[in-house]
Amino acid sequence: MDDAKEGDRDAMETAPLPFRAAVEALRAARLRPEIEIDPTRPPQRLAPYAYALEAAVVADDEDLADGRLVLLHDPAGHEAWQGSFRLVTLVRAELEPEMAADPLLPEVCWSWLTGALQARGLSYGEASGTVTRASSHYFGGLAERPAASQIEIRASWTPREGLGGVPDTAAHLAAWCDLLCQVAGLPPVTPGDASVVCLPQRRGPQSR
């Protein structure tokens, strides 16, 4: 493990300055107290440089939602990205089966992602992704368990680069955390914002 961490430090020291600046902004970002976030091993083959974070929304020692955010960087640029940086995310939460049956749920969840970015005034492009809902029903020896449903958002987008070719990754992280909290059913930070609709907190969240 120590060797792996040492290798990560060496890789960061030799990374291009814009990528290092973008990562430092992620590390320094101040987030809502309900968000627990830690660095994790990034994927190795998606881009020459990558940095990843795992996060969970925790309230009263209960996990309400979790996710992963990956920052990719290709100094030569990437045709599909239309830029040299890319953010890739996975967000998951359990929800009431009745909510999972709502035919508009996927469209609403996708609008939460784009709305979170727009609410913070962020410029981005080439957004794409999927919203998946799944239900589990238990039988036999597991029949006493209640049915469970889950929503999963997978998405990626290109953050527009600013001064020095560095995107505002701290603001993009904050927007992503807004999405996490919204999926978890937490109210928005600004009281009285009736324009924001959250998923109701699910029945019996799993204990940590």
Side-chain angles (χ1 to χ4, degrees):
M1 182 64 70
D2 290 341
D3 290 342
K5 290 182 178 179
E6 188 67 33
D8 291 343
R9 284 194 292 267
D10 292 343
M12 188 60 64
E13 289 176 358
T14 59
L17 181 58
F19 179 71
R20 283 185 282 159
V23 170
E24 285 305 315
L26 290 175
R27 290 172 171 170
R30 300 184 65 182
L31 307 173
R32 289 182 62 165
E34 299 92 343
I35 300 286
E36 295 187 359
I37 194 164
D38 291 293
T40 187
R41 176 73 68 176
Q44 301 298 309
R45 299 180 181 179
L46 296 180
Y49 303 95
Y51 181 78
L53 294 167
E54 287 182 336
V57 179
V58 181
D60 298 324
D61 293 325
E62 308 287 355
D63 285 352
L64 301 177
D66 62 76
R68 192 178 196 220
L69 184 69
V70 180
L71 175 68
L72 304 176
H73 179 53
D74 187 341
H78 195 292
E79 183 177 356
W81 303 351
Q82 293 296 300
S84 63
F85 283 91
R86 188 76 170 171
L87 285 162
V88 182
T89 185
L90 165 66
V91 171
R92 296 173 300 198
E94 292 186 18
L95 64 154
E96 297 280 357
E98 294 81 3
M99 285 294 299
D102 186 342
L104 297 179
L105 184 63
E107 288 79 5
V108 169
C109 289
W110 181 256
S111 73
W112 287 348
L113 169 62
T114 57
L117 295 169
Q118 292 165 5
R120 291 187 177 269
L122 293 169
S123 180
Y124 67 96
E126 311 305 318
S128 62
T130 62
V131 177
T132 304
R133 50 186 167 184
S135 298
S136 299
H137 299 265
Y138 300 95
F139 302 93
L142 301 176
E144 293 184 358
R145 292 189 184 183
S149 298
Q150 185 181 71
I151 193 76
E152 180 180 277
I153 304 170
R154 293 180 180 268
S156 63
W157 66 94
T158 298
R160 295 307 182 205
E161 297 164 17
L163 187 65
V166 182
D168 189 353
T169 49
H172 281 270
L173 174 60
W176 179 70
C177 289
D178 292 343
L179 170 65
L180 264 180
C181 290
Q182 201 166 4
V183 170
L186 296 188
V189 175
T190 303
D193 187 353
S195 66
V196 177
V197 179
C198 303
L199 285 180
Q201 292 186 11
R202 66 182 186 272
R203 266 197 312 259
Q206 294 180 352
S207 299
R208 290 171 59 76

